[in-house]
Amino acid sequence: MVAAFTIAASAAVAAANATKTLTLPGGATFAVPYEVSGPDVPKPHEQTAIRELSAYLGKRVAGTVRIGGKDGVVFRVGDTALARREGLLSAQLPPEKWVVRSFGNEVLLNGGGPRGALFAVYHFLEDCCGVRWWSEFEEDVPPPGPLDLPPLDLQGRPVFAYRDIYRSQQGPKSARFERCVRMNAHGGADLGGAYCFGPPTFCHTFDCYLNADKHMKDHPEWFSLRKGRRVGGQRNGQLCLTNPEVKDEVLKRLLENIEKGNARALKNGVEPPRIYDISHNDNQAYCQCDRCNAAAEKYGLSGVNLNFVNALAAEVAKKHPDVLLCTWAYQYTQPVPKGGVRAADNVIVRLCDTGSNQASSIAEPDNRAYYDCVMAWSKVTKHLFVWDYAITFSKGLTGLPFPSEFHYGDLFRHYRACNVSGIFWEHEHPYKADMWELKFFLETKLMENPDLDCNALIERFMREYYGPAGEHVLAYRRYLDKIRREKHAFVSWFPQLSAFKYISDEDVAACNRMLDAAEESVAGDAKLLARVRHARLGLDRLACLRSRSVMFHAPGGACAEERKVPGLDAAKARLRDDWPKWIAPYPKAKDLVKKEHDFLAGMLAPPDAFPVPERFRDRSFYDFPAQLLSSHGKNEALVDDPESPVGRAMRTAADKSHYFQLPFSGGVYDQQTKKSCGSGSFKKVAGDGYHWYRLCKAKFNDNAYLWLTRAWTTQLKTGNFPDLSGKELELWVSVKFTGPMFRPGTSGDSFIWIDRVLLEVELPLEQGFLDPPKANRP
């Protein structure tokens, strides 16, 4: 049965070169140069594969289609009679193995399991037809023309069984795009299902199984003991893993979740989930009761966790032998266990790296600890997954340039050598992350085959994505890698602006010359020019961030002189004119543009942008509006507030947690030494509206950040402002409190509103809320 035809050329051209015809209603007959067919009753994923092949061939082909010199080509997709005759049915092939093979004028495209046929089609389109999928919103198809290919015998199978890249800002076609580039963690029946996690979710599930809000009152002993107090919840605590009741309760809910996952899969016509997560909450408040302490002394904290998960896995295997349980090797469970503990054969250990230098190779000395950690875990688990990153999370610094792409080959080959079988990769914010399209391209290719030549892939990308500009963009990236090596730069997951000192002003100028040449080479091509300008984004943002000293006010007036960074005016113009256009295709683009504009406006605001508070008029202070604050929890949001003199505030929803109740706390923390630089609090609310509160005196350095509320979820990355380093300053915060938690007798939700932070050069006052007597003022 012919499942689809594509008229890929005009009737006159096609008639001269084809042997197939298509009769339309009314009797009109058109010649077509090929045929696309599937099984008599194609499955949902085969229907998608047939449709995709037909659609792209329709764009790609004009004129003849020949395979091995033969015309009248028929593409047989899926479990066709040809696949049965050749022993290449999906059930006869390993999962996700794909085959593209010609037999005379017939081309078989099929693969193992429900995704293999799709992978075969997408590989044929990419490897033989030149189709490229760069992102969910960008693809390239060569201009229509003849398709003349040699006899085909292509096949492959992804090396890593589980492949997922988290991107954020994903659109409605994200799962389809993932399948085009052979990721496999998402998708319905039309995309061949997924190699996925079952309910409740895929990480940090302790609180999903035993929710602290629900169970703490009746069963405090289920939760972690910290400093004599039981704590639980996603942010605040863990489970007591040596309590037998905890194992029994989690097991009961786990078996229920497996049944739910199977039922949901059956309903949706996909394979049942293979993996169920049992992993600790996203905090380090592990249990310190006597039993847990004794077990940790013997087995290590990771051993305590593995013993708990192994016990669950033994019970699950009795009813569901194909199910795997997944748990963390993350933060306090990252070190390998002691005392001979190893993961059961149906347990996945997912190792999460949070301490390496992202800018350098895993084979370099500064990443030796993680190199050894991967190797050590490979010896104590049959199934090793990794959770890795290609992103910097510090607010305002995401997307600043660091040339990690040259070292991806080393990383993926090390994973393969250590028998890693699954990779989850965080690579958020495609619209602003450093060289996102290039790095994503490499990630997907090396997840399939880590033996590919990474430098050759980079050169191919530069050539195909940027056209004539590619050689100049590549020179820029190689230049960055060279100076990174020379200056031993270290880029962590939460870097400060000082981490990018390795790019001097002279280096910025040199890079701009290369990128100017790139623009000139594609000046007449709007698409390629837009791509080159987006490649400049990280360097442009670095120039802007570097150009402005932190806003400083003195009794004589504001002072925030702009540093003369090379190419600053042009960088500002590109950010203003080109960046919004790049963001436009993404979901909620207006919100994204506003968010980025808010930050840059706050960072680059002129000295007189915000009014000087009356009581600080004759004082010297550094000024930070709410736009420069960052949120690290679900309770916070940057919002408009007409009551604020700066027009914006970081608003925190004060839930029942003690972290948002009075007293209000704040301070400064040194990430390198992991010590406080100073902290303070206040117990009383001054009145309606915004008031200034003094918290503490603290000494600042390049590794410091300022935290507000006892949850520490509102922060100011003071290390991004080198003007502050080495200074001892007084911390003031402008706060408004609303709602019955803070204003008895009022109604509605309770909120904490922070619109401004001041760091005063000198102020000898006691802690407490303002308006002190004038006699106390200096």
Coordinates of all heavy atoms in Angstrom, one line a residue, residues 283-348:
N283 N 18.4 19.7 48.8 CA 19.0 20.4 49.9 C 20.0 19.4 50.6 O 20.0 18.2 50.2 CB 18.0 20.9 50.9 CG 17.2 19.8 51.6 OD1 17.7 19.1 52.5 ND2 16.0 19.6 51.2
Q284 N 20.7 19.9 51.5 CA 21.7 19.0 52.2 C 21.4 18.7 53.6 O 22.3 18.3 54.4 CB 23.1 19.6 52.0 CG 23.5 19.9 50.6 CD 25.0 20.1 50.4 OE1 25.8 19.2 50.7 NE2 25.4 21.2 49.8
A285 N 20.2 18.8 54.0 CA 19.8 18.5 55.4 C 19.5 17.0 55.6 O 18.4 16.6 56.0 CB 18.6 19.3 55.8
Y286 N 20.5 16.2 55.4 CA 20.4 14.7 55.6 C 20.2 14.4 57.0 O 20.6 15.2 57.9 CB 21.6 14.0 55.0 CG 22.9 14.5 55.5 CD1 23.4 14.0 56.7 CD2 23.6 15.4 54.7 CE1 24.7 14.5 57.1 CE2 24.8 15.9 55.2 CZ 25.4 15.4 56.4 OH 26.6 15.9 56.8
C287 N 19.6 13.3 57.3 CA 19.3 12.9 58.7 C 20.5 12.6 59.5 O 21.5 12.0 59.1 CB 18.4 11.7 58.7 SG 17.7 11.3 60.3
Q288 N 20.5 13.2 60.7 CA 21.6 13.0 61.7 C 21.2 12.3 63.0 O 21.7 12.5 64.0 CB 22.3 14.3 62.0 CG 22.9 14.9 60.8 CD 23.6 16.3 61.0 OE1 23.0 17.1 61.8 NE2 24.7 16.6 60.4
C289 N 20.1 11.5 62.9 CA 19.7 10.7 64.0 C 20.8 9.7 64.3 O 21.7 9.4 63.5 CB 18.4 10.0 63.8 SG 18.4 8.6 62.7
D290 N 20.7 9.0 65.5 CA 21.8 8.1 65.9 C 22.0 6.9 64.9 O 23.1 6.6 64.5 CB 21.5 7.5 67.3 CG 21.6 8.5 68.4 OD1 22.3 9.6 68.1 OD2 21.1 8.3 69.5
R291 N 20.8 6.4 64.4 CA 20.9 5.3 63.4 C 21.6 5.7 62.1 O 22.5 5.0 61.6 CB 19.6 4.7 63.1 CG 18.9 3.8 64.3 CD 17.7 3.0 63.7 NE 16.8 3.9 63.0 CZ 15.7 4.5 63.5 NH1 15.5 4.3 64.8 NH2 14.9 5.2 62.8
C292 N 21.1 6.9 61.6 CA 21.7 7.4 60.3 C 23.2 7.7 60.5 O 24.0 7.5 59.6 CB 20.9 8.5 59.8 SG 19.3 8.1 59.1
N293 N 23.5 8.3 61.6 CA 24.9 8.7 61.8 C 25.8 7.5 61.9 O 26.9 7.4 61.3 CB 25.1 9.5 63.1 CG 24.7 11.0 63.0 OD1 24.7 11.5 61.8 ND2 24.5 11.6 64.1
A294 N 25.3 6.4 62.6 CA 26.1 5.2 62.7 C 26.3 4.5 61.3 O 27.3 4.0 60.9 CB 25.4 4.2 63.6
A295 N 25.2 4.5 60.5 CA 25.2 4.0 59.2 C 26.2 4.8 58.3 O 26.9 4.2 57.5 CB 23.8 3.9 58.6
A296 N 26.1 6.1 58.4 CA 27.0 7.0 57.6 C 28.4 6.8 57.9 O 29.3 6.8 57.0 CB 26.6 8.4 57.8
E297 N 28.7 6.5 59.2 CA 30.1 6.3 59.6 C 30.6 5.0 59.0 O 31.8 4.9 58.6 CB 30.2 6.2 61.1 CG 31.6 5.9 61.7 CD 32.5 7.1 61.5 OE1 32.0 8.2 61.4 OE2 33.7 6.9 61.5
K298 N 29.8 4.0 58.8 CA 30.2 2.7 58.2 C 30.2 2.7 56.7 O 31.1 2.1 56.1 CB 29.3 1.6 58.8 CG 29.7 0.2 58.4 CD 28.8 -0.8 59.1 CE 29.2 -2.2 58.7 NZ 28.3 -3.2 59.4
Y299 N 29.1 3.3 56.1 CA 29.0 3.2 54.7 C 29.1 4.5 53.9 O 29.1 4.5 52.7 CB 27.6 2.6 54.4 CG 27.3 1.3 55.1 CD1 26.3 1.2 56.0 CD2 28.0 0.2 54.7 CE1 26.0 0.0 56.6 CE2 27.8 -1.0 55.4 CZ 26.8 -1.1 56.3 OH 26.5 -2.3 56.9
G300 N 29.2 5.6 54.6 CA 29.2 6.9 53.9 C 27.8 7.3 53.6 O 26.9 6.5 53.6
L301 N 27.6 8.6 53.4 CA 26.2 9.1 53.2 C 25.6 8.5 51.9 O 24.4 8.2 51.8 CB 26.2 10.6 53.1 CG 26.5 11.3 54.4 CD1 26.7 12.8 54.2 CD2 25.3 11.1 55.4
S302 N 26.5 8.3 50.9 CA 26.0 7.7 49.6 C 25.6 6.2 49.9 O 24.7 5.7 49.3 CB 27.0 7.8 48.5 OG 28.2 7.2 48.9
G303 N 26.3 5.6 50.8 CA 26.0 4.2 51.1 C 24.7 4.1 51.9 O 24.0 3.1 51.6
V304 N 24.4 5.0 52.8 CA 23.1 5.0 53.5 C 22.0 5.1 52.4 O 21.0 4.4 52.5 CB 23.1 6.2 54.5 CG1 21.7 6.3 55.1 CG2 24.1 6.0 55.6
N305 N 22.2 6.0 51.5 CA 21.2 6.2 50.4 C 21.0 5.0 49.6 O 19.9 4.5 49.3 CB 21.6 7.4 49.6 CG 20.6 7.8 48.5 OD1 19.4 8.1 48.8 ND2 21.0 7.6 47.3
L306 N 22.2 4.4 49.2 CA 22.1 3.2 48.3 C 21.5 2.0 49.0 O 20.7 1.2 48.4 CB 23.5 2.9 47.8 CG 23.9 3.4 46.4 CD1 25.3 2.9 46.0 CD2 22.8 3.1 45.3
N307 N 21.8 1.8 50.3 CA 21.2 0.7 51.0 C 19.7 0.8 51.0 O 19.0 -0.1 50.9 CB 21.7 0.7 52.4 CG 23.1 0.1 52.5 OD1 23.5 -0.7 51.6 ND2 23.9 0.4 53.5
F308 N 19.2 2.1 51.2 CA 17.8 2.3 51.2 C 17.2 2.0 49.8 O 16.2 1.3 49.7 CB 17.5 3.8 51.6 CG 16.1 4.2 51.5 CD1 15.2 3.8 52.5 CD2 15.6 5.0 50.5 CE1 13.8 4.2 52.5 CE2 14.3 5.4 50.4 CZ 13.4 5.0 51.4
V309 N 17.8 2.5 48.8 CA 17.2 2.3 47.4 C 17.4 0.8 47.0 O 16.5 0.3 46.4 CB 17.9 3.2 46.4 CG1 17.4 3.0 45.0 CG2 17.7 4.7 46.8
N310 N 18.5 0.2 47.4 CA 18.7 -1.2 47.1 C 17.6 -2.1 47.7 O 17.1 -3.1 47.1 CB 20.0 -1.7 47.5 CG 21.2 -1.3 46.7 OD1 21.0 -0.8 45.5 ND2 22.4 -1.4 47.2
A311 N 17.2 -1.7 48.9 CA 16.1 -2.5 49.6 C 14.8 -2.4 48.8 O 14.1 -3.4 48.7 CB 16.0 -2.0 51.0
L312 N 14.5 -1.2 48.4 CA 13.3 -1.0 47.5 C 13.4 -1.8 46.2 O 12.5 -2.4 45.8 CB 13.1 0.5 47.2 CG 12.8 1.4 48.4 CD1 12.9 2.9 48.0 CD2 11.5 1.1 49.0
A313 N 14.6 -1.7 45.6 CA 14.8 -2.4 44.3 C 14.6 -3.9 44.4 O 14.1 -4.5 43.5 CB 16.2 -2.0 43.8
A314 N 15.0 -4.5 45.5 CA 14.8 -5.9 45.7 C 13.4 -6.3 45.7 O 13.0 -7.3 45.1 CB 15.5 -6.4 47.0
E315 N 12.5 -5.4 46.3 CA 11.1 -5.7 46.4 C 10.4 -5.5 45.0 O 9.6 -6.2 44.5 CB 10.4 -4.8 47.4 CG 10.9 -5.1 48.8 CD 10.6 -6.6 49.3 OE1 9.5 -7.1 48.9 OE2 11.5 -7.2 49.9
V316 N 10.9 -4.4 44.3 CA 10.3 -4.1 43.0 C 10.6 -5.2 42.0 O 9.8 -5.5 41.2 CB 10.9 -2.7 42.5 CG1 10.5 -2.5 41.1 CG2 10.3 -1.6 43.4
A317 N 11.8 -5.7 42.1 CA 12.2 -6.8 41.1 C 11.3 -8.0 41.2 O 11.2 -8.7 40.1 CB 13.7 -7.2 41.4
K318 N 10.7 -8.2 42.3 CA 9.8 -9.4 42.4 C 8.6 -9.3 41.5 O 8.1 -10.3 41.0 CB 9.4 -9.6 43.9 CG 10.6 -9.9 44.8 CD 10.1 -9.9 46.2 CE 11.2 -10.2 47.2 NZ 10.8 -10.2 48.6
K319 N 8.1 -8.1 41.4 CA 6.9 -7.8 40.6 C 7.1 -7.2 39.2 O 6.4 -7.4 38.3 CB 5.9 -6.9 41.4 CG 5.3 -7.6 42.6 CD 4.3 -6.6 43.2 CE 3.6 -7.3 44.5 NZ 2.6 -6.4 45.0
H320 N 8.2 -6.4 39.1 CA 8.5 -5.7 37.9 C 10.0 -5.8 37.6 O 10.8 -4.9 37.8 CB 8.1 -4.2 38.1 CG 6.7 -4.0 38.5 ND1 5.6 -4.1 37.6 CD2 6.2 -3.7 39.7 CE1 4.5 -3.8 38.3 NE2 4.8 -3.6 39.5
P321 N 10.4 -7.0 37.0 CA 11.8 -7.2 36.8 C 12.5 -6.3 35.8 O 13.7 -6.2 35.7 CB 11.9 -8.7 36.4 CG 10.5 -9.0 35.9 CD 9.5 -8.1 36.7
D322 N 11.7 -5.6 34.9 CA 12.2 -4.7 33.9 C 12.4 -3.3 34.4 O 12.9 -2.5 33.7 CB 11.3 -4.7 32.7 CG 11.4 -6.1 32.0 OD1 12.4 -6.8 32.1 OD2 10.3 -6.4 31.3
V323 N 11.9 -3.0 35.6 CA 11.9 -1.6 36.1 C 13.3 -1.4 36.8 O 13.8 -2.2 37.5 CB 10.8 -1.4 37.1 CG1 11.0 -0.1 37.9 CG2 9.5 -1.3 36.3
L324 N 13.8 -0.1 36.5 CA 15.0 0.3 37.2 C 14.7 1.5 38.1 O 13.9 2.3 37.8 CB 16.0 0.8 36.1 CG 16.5 -0.2 35.1 CD1 17.3 0.5 34.0 CD2 17.3 -1.3 35.7
L325 N 15.3 1.5 39.3 CA 15.2 2.6 40.2 C 16.4 3.5 40.0 O 17.5 3.0 39.8 CB 15.1 2.2 41.6 CG 13.9 1.2 42.0 CD1 13.9 1.1 43.5 CD2 12.6 1.8 41.4
C326 N 16.2 4.8 40.0 CA 17.3 5.8 39.8 C 17.4 6.7 41.1 O 16.5 7.1 41.7 CB 16.9 6.7 38.6 SG 18.2 7.9 38.2
T327 N 18.7 6.9 41.5 CA 19.0 7.7 42.6 C 20.2 8.6 42.4 O 20.9 8.4 41.4 CB 19.1 6.8 43.9 OG1 19.1 7.7 45.1 CG2 20.5 6.1 43.9
W328 N 20.4 9.5 43.3 CA 21.5 10.5 43.1 C 22.8 10.0 43.6 O 22.9 9.3 44.5 CB 21.2 11.8 43.9 CG 20.2 12.7 43.4 CD1 19.1 13.2 44.1 CD2 20.2 13.4 42.2 NE1 18.4 14.1 43.3 CE2 19.1 14.3 42.1 CE3 21.1 13.4 41.1 CZ2 18.8 15.1 41.1 CZ3 20.8 14.2 40.0 CH2 19.6 15.1 40.0
A329 N 23.8 10.6 42.9 CA 25.2 10.7 43.5 C 25.4 12.2 43.3 O 26.0 12.7 42.3 CB 26.2 9.9 42.8
Y330 N 25.0 13.0 44.3 CA 24.8 14.5 44.1 C 25.0 15.1 45.4 O 24.5 14.7 46.4 CB 23.5 14.8 43.5 CG 23.0 16.2 43.5 CD1 23.8 17.2 42.9 CD2 21.8 16.6 44.1 CE1 23.4 18.5 42.9 CE2 21.4 17.9 44.0 CZ 22.2 18.9 43.4 OH 21.7 20.2 43.4
Q331 N 25.9 16.2 45.5 CA 26.2 16.9 46.7 C 26.7 15.9 47.8 O 27.7 15.3 47.6 CB 25.0 17.7 47.1 CG 24.7 18.9 46.1 CD 23.6 19.8 46.6 OE1 22.7 19.4 47.4 NE2 23.6 21.0 46.1
Y332 N 25.9 15.7 48.9 CA 26.4 14.9 49.9 C 26.5 13.4 49.6 O 27.1 12.6 50.3 CB 25.7 15.1 51.2 CG 24.2 14.7 51.2 CD1 23.8 13.4 51.5 CD2 23.2 15.7 51.0 CE1 22.5 13.1 51.6 CE2 21.9 15.3 51.0 CZ 21.5 14.0 51.3 OH 20.2 13.7 51.3
T333 N 25.8 13.0 48.5 CA 25.9 11.6 48.1 C 26.8 11.4 46.9 O 26.9 10.3 46.4 CB 24.5 11.0 47.7 OG1 23.9 11.8 46.7 CG2 23.6 11.0 49.0
Q334 N 27.6 12.4 46.5 CA 28.5 12.3 45.4 C 29.7 11.4 45.7 O 30.0 10.6 44.8 CB 29.0 13.7 44.9 CG 29.8 13.6 43.7 CD 30.2 14.9 43.1 OE1 29.5 15.9 43.4 NE2 31.2 15.0 42.2
P335 N 30.3 11.4 46.8 CA 31.4 10.4 47.1 C 30.9 9.0 47.0 O 29.8 8.7 47.5 CB 31.9 10.8 48.5 CG 31.4 12.2 48.7 CD 30.1 12.3 48.0
V336 N 31.7 8.1 46.5 CA 31.3 6.7 46.4 C 31.2 6.1 47.8 O 31.8 6.6 48.8 CB 32.4 5.9 45.6 CG1 32.4 6.3 44.2 CG2 33.7 6.0 46.2
P337 N 30.3 5.1 48.0 CA 30.0 4.5 49.3 C 31.2 3.8 49.8 O 32.2 3.4 49.1 CB 28.8 3.6 49.1 CG 28.9 3.3 47.6 CD 29.5 4.5 46.9
K338 N 31.2 3.5 51.1 CA 32.2 2.7 51.8 C 31.6 1.4 52.2 O 30.4 1.1 52.0 CB 32.7 3.5 53.1 CG 33.2 4.9 52.8 CD 33.8 5.5 54.1 CE 32.8 5.7 55.2 NZ 33.3 6.4 56.4
G339 N 32.4 0.5 52.8 CA 32.0 -0.7 53.4 C 31.4 -1.7 52.4 O 30.6 -2.6 52.8
G340 N 31.9 -1.6 51.2 CA 31.5 -2.6 50.2 C 30.1 -2.4 49.6 O 29.6 -3.3 48.8
V341 N 29.4 -1.3 49.9 CA 28.1 -1.1 49.3 C 28.3 -0.8 47.8 O 29.1 0.0 47.4 CB 27.4 0.1 50.0 CG1 26.1 0.5 49.3 CG2 27.2 -0.2 51.5
R342 N 27.4 -1.4 47.0 CA 27.3 -1.1 45.6 C 25.9 -1.1 45.2 O 25.0 -1.6 45.9 CB 28.2 -2.0 44.7 CG 27.8 -3.5 44.9 CD 28.6 -4.4 43.9 NE 28.2 -4.1 42.5 CZ 29.1 -3.6 41.6 NH1 30.4 -3.4 41.9 NH2 28.7 -3.4 40.4
A343 N 25.6 -0.5 44.0 CA 24.2 -0.4 43.6 C 23.7 -1.8 43.1 O 24.5 -2.5 42.5 CB 24.1 0.6 42.4
A344 N 22.5 -2.1 43.4 CA 21.9 -3.3 42.9 C 21.8 -3.3 41.4 O 21.9 -2.2 40.8 CB 20.5 -3.5 43.5
D345 N 21.7 -4.4 40.7 CA 21.7 -4.5 39.3 C 20.5 -3.8 38.7 O 20.5 -3.4 37.5 CB 21.7 -5.9 38.8 CG 23.1 -6.6 39.0 OD1 24.0 -5.8 39.3 OD2 23.2 -7.8 38.8
N346 N 19.4 -3.5 39.4 CA 18.3 -2.8 38.9 C 18.2 -1.4 39.5 O 17.1 -0.8 39.6 CB 17.0 -3.6 39.1 CG 16.7 -3.8 40.6 OD1 17.6 -3.8 41.4 ND2 15.4 -4.0 41.0
V347 N 19.4 -0.8 39.8 CA 19.5 0.5 40.3 C 20.4 1.3 39.4 O 21.5 0.9 39.1 CB 20.0 0.6 41.8 CG1 20.3 2.0 42.2 CG2 18.9 0.0 42.7
I348 N 19.9 2.5 39.0 CA 20.7 3.5 38.3 C 21.3 4.5 39.3 O 20.5 5.1 40.1 CB 19.9 4.2 37.2 CG1 19.4 3.3 36.1 CG2 20.7 5.4 36.6 CD1 18.3 3.9 35.2

